[in-house]
Amino acid sequence: MLSFTHLPPLPLFSGVSLPSSRRHFTSFRTRMSSSSSIDSTHPPPPLDNGIVLGCGGATVDFLATVDSYPNPDDKIRSTSLKVQGGGNAGNALTCAARLGLTSRLISKVANDSQGKGILEELESDGVDTSFLVVSKEGNTPFTYVIVDKQTKTRTCIHTPGYPPMVPTDLPQSTMLSALDRASIAYFDVRLHETALVIAKEASQKKIPILIDAEKKRDGLDDLLQLADYVVCTAKFPQAWTEVSSIPCALVSMLLRLPKLKFVIVTLGEDGCLMIQRDSTEASESQETDIESLVESLKQRSDSTAIFPTCVSSETAKLKANGIGTLSGRLFHGTAEKIPPEELVDTTGAGDAFIGAVLYALCAGMPPEKMLPFAAQVAACNCRALGARTGLPHRTDPRLVPFLV
């Protein structure tokens, strides 16, 4: 297992001289706070009851920007380097905290300089880290992220933490305290054994559950059976259902997971699709082919709009050929058209989207408002290097129209 002690020393930002266990994280926060676009003249009021409990990955990201991704055996130089916290759950909970939710995170780090830095950074953003497990030995998980300026893509190389988190790391009393008054529970399936214990308890307490289905992982199927909401990447629906098209795969997911209220698939610059189950059968409605309906909604979308929009169908019997039919509504959300010169890095865009969805669910936003809001938050994040640098606060002028 690779240890951080074997990593080469990294440069300081802004010339700040601090103890080695803190220097990279503290200097990053200084730069972030000085460059954030925040208008606090008329801040929207916080939610009265918005508590999200998240369980999953909290890592360190080593982000190197290159002019173009190297070929095998090439030697190239980075054009910039940033060190900051990462991990799906860590990013999504940071986003939710900046938007105004009370965020609690269950994860595991080691008692090394990087683990301490992770805790500091999360706490500086208002994330409650009192439920994190800190191992006396081992190493904190970390990820090398190579950002290609030419193709606007990022490649991630992840090294898991050691020792891994197991359910016995989390006392029952701690878990119950973490779930106390929670509005929603979120899992990225990184710590699947611990996550399942927490999810079962949350389900018994009638706490809604959102699952981040990034890809097929150990323990994912068990967690999906408990899910009220799923947000997944473009490749997941077809991979999980073995259905030939994304729209039909979404129908298949809802038919296989009877507890599921909605499923969203994010499609990058093509926006997102969402199917929301209707609690009552649309008995008088005619069956509507889901793939034809998707094309119809795309044609109705405003192709000239710069900022995110959303169009939806009426409640209908959504039919996927060879799969089945369910009663629900289809939504098509567009992404913001980011000018090429403003698009910096897509790292963490999906986590930002999920953080915004968590906020929207706690705030009671309808899908027509939730999807453009989440797309706007994700677009903000794509304008800076790393998964957290560009995460907006709820007082950001670009978000205020969604929150008032």
Side-chain angles (χ1 to χ4, degrees):
M1 181 65 66
L2 181 62
S3 169
F4 275 100
T5 57
H6 298 146
L7 292 171
L10 293 167
L12 294 176
F13 294 107
S14 306
V16 180
S17 178
L18 292 168
S20 61
S21 63
R22 299 178 57 190
R23 58 176 60 158
H24 307 305
F25 291 86
T26 303
S27 55
F28 159 69
R29 289 199 300 272
T30 302
R31 288 168 57 87
M32 176 190 69
S33 61
S34 64
S35 62
S36 295
S37 175
I38 300 175
D39 179 10
S40 57
T41 306
H42 300 289
L47 296 178
D48 292 332
N49 182 28
I51 300 175
V52 55
L53 171 65
C55 174
T59 73
V60 177
D61 284 350
F62 295 87
L63 296 124
T65 302
V66 298
D67 287 327
S68 62
Y69 194 81
N71 293 315
D73 211 30
D74 273 357
K75 292 183 178 180
I76 63 172
R77 293 190 177 188
S78 63
T79 58
S80 66
L81 177 68
K82 183 182 288 290
V83 183
Q84 66 176 193
N88 294 35
N91 297 336
L93 269 289
T94 296
C95 179
R98 291 192 188 183
L99 294 175
L101 294 185
T102 298
S103 296
R104 302 168 178 169
L105 178 61
I106 294 175
S107 191
K108 186 173 185 177
V109 298
N111 187 31
D112 53 17
S113 61
Q114 284 72 28
K116 293 172 183 176
I118 285 175
L119 295 177
E120 283 186 20
E121 189 178 9
L122 290 169
E123 289 164 1
S124 74
D125 271 311
V127 178
D128 185 348
T129 63
S130 61
F131 304 104
L132 266 76
V133 176
V134 180
S135 173
K136 293 182 180 180
E137 299 179 344
N139 69 269
T140 294
F142 63 94
T143 305
Y144 293 119
V145 184
I146 303 173
V147 181
D148 185 340
K149 293 169 64 176
Q150 184 178 54
T151 61
K152 305 294 184 180
T153 58
R154 85 285 187 270
T155 301
C156 301
I157 306 171
H158 180 68
T159 298
Y162 185 83
M165 188 170 191
V166 293
T168 53
D169 285 335
L170 191 70
Q172 176 80 0
S173 59
T174 302
M175 179 182 66
L176 294 177
S177 295
L179 286 167
D180 183 42
R181 297 177 293 110
S183 308
I184 191 166
Y186 154 72
F187 304 93
D188 68 5
V189 203
R190 290 283 184 179
L191 311 172
H192 66 277
E193 293 177 338
T194 302
L196 185 58
V197 174
I198 300 169
K200 287 180 177 178
E201 186 68 29
S203 183
Q204 290 182 358
K205 293 181 177 297
K206 308 299 182 184
I207 298 172
I209 293 172
L210 185 146
I211 300 296
D212 172 7
E214 185 179 37
K215 61 182 181 180
K216 295 171 73 173
R217 300 185 191 276
D218 290 342
L220 174 62
D221 288 1
D222 291 333
L223 284 166
L224 286 175
Q225 294 297 327
L226 299 170
D228 296 274
Y229 315 105
V230 170
V231 180
C232 53
T233 58
K235 295 180 180 180
F236 178 80
Q238 290 164 282
W240 190 72
T241 62
E242 300 182 348
V243 172
S244 60
S245 73
I246 289 177
C248 290
L250 296 181
V251 172
S252 179
M253 287 181 66
L254 284 158
L255 290 174
R256 296 187 191 189
L257 302 170
K259 187 183 177 185
L260 204 59
K261 294 180 174 64
F262 71 61
V263 58
I264 300 172
V265 57
T266 56
L267 303 170
E269 64 182 12
D270 293 325
C272 64
L273 291 175
M274 169 179 167
I275 298 181
Q276 181 183 47
R277 189 194 305 272
D278 189 70
S279 56
T280 59
E281 284 294 326
S283 57
E284 298 180 0
S285 303
Q286 292 185 346
E287 290 185 351
T288 303
D289 179 72
I290 186 65
E291 296 192 66
S292 299
L293 187 56
V294 168
E295 293 305 314
S296 175
L297 290 190
K298 287 182 178 179
Q299 291 176 9
R300 284 174 49 197
S301 296
D302 184 358
S303 60
T304 64
I306 296 176
F307 297 103
T309 62
C310 180
V311 293
S312 64
S313 72
E314 299 293 332
T315 300
K317 291 181 178 179
L318 307 177
K319 180 182 178 181
N321 288 330
I323 305 299
T325 302
L326 67 87
S327 180
R329 294 179 68 194
L330 176 68
F331 300 82
H332 174 240
T334 63
E336 181 180 348
K337 290 182 172 62
I338 305 175
E341 65 274 13
E342 295 182 20
L343 179 60
V344 176
D345 180 18
T346 60
T347 301
D351 302 332
F353 187 97
I354 287 176
V357 169
L358 291 169
Y359 179 92
L361 288 169
C362 291
M365 284 188 190
E368 294 90 344
K369 188 175 182 180
M370 175 178 71
L371 297 183
F373 170 64
Q376 182 69 74
V377 171
C380 291
N381 201 45
C382 291
R383 287 177 161 88
L385 181 62
R388 301 186 188 173
T389 314
L391 286 175
H393 294 72
R394 64 188 179 91
T395 49
D396 190 303
R398 294 168 292 185
L399 304 186
V400 170
F402 296 97
L403 303 178
V404 295

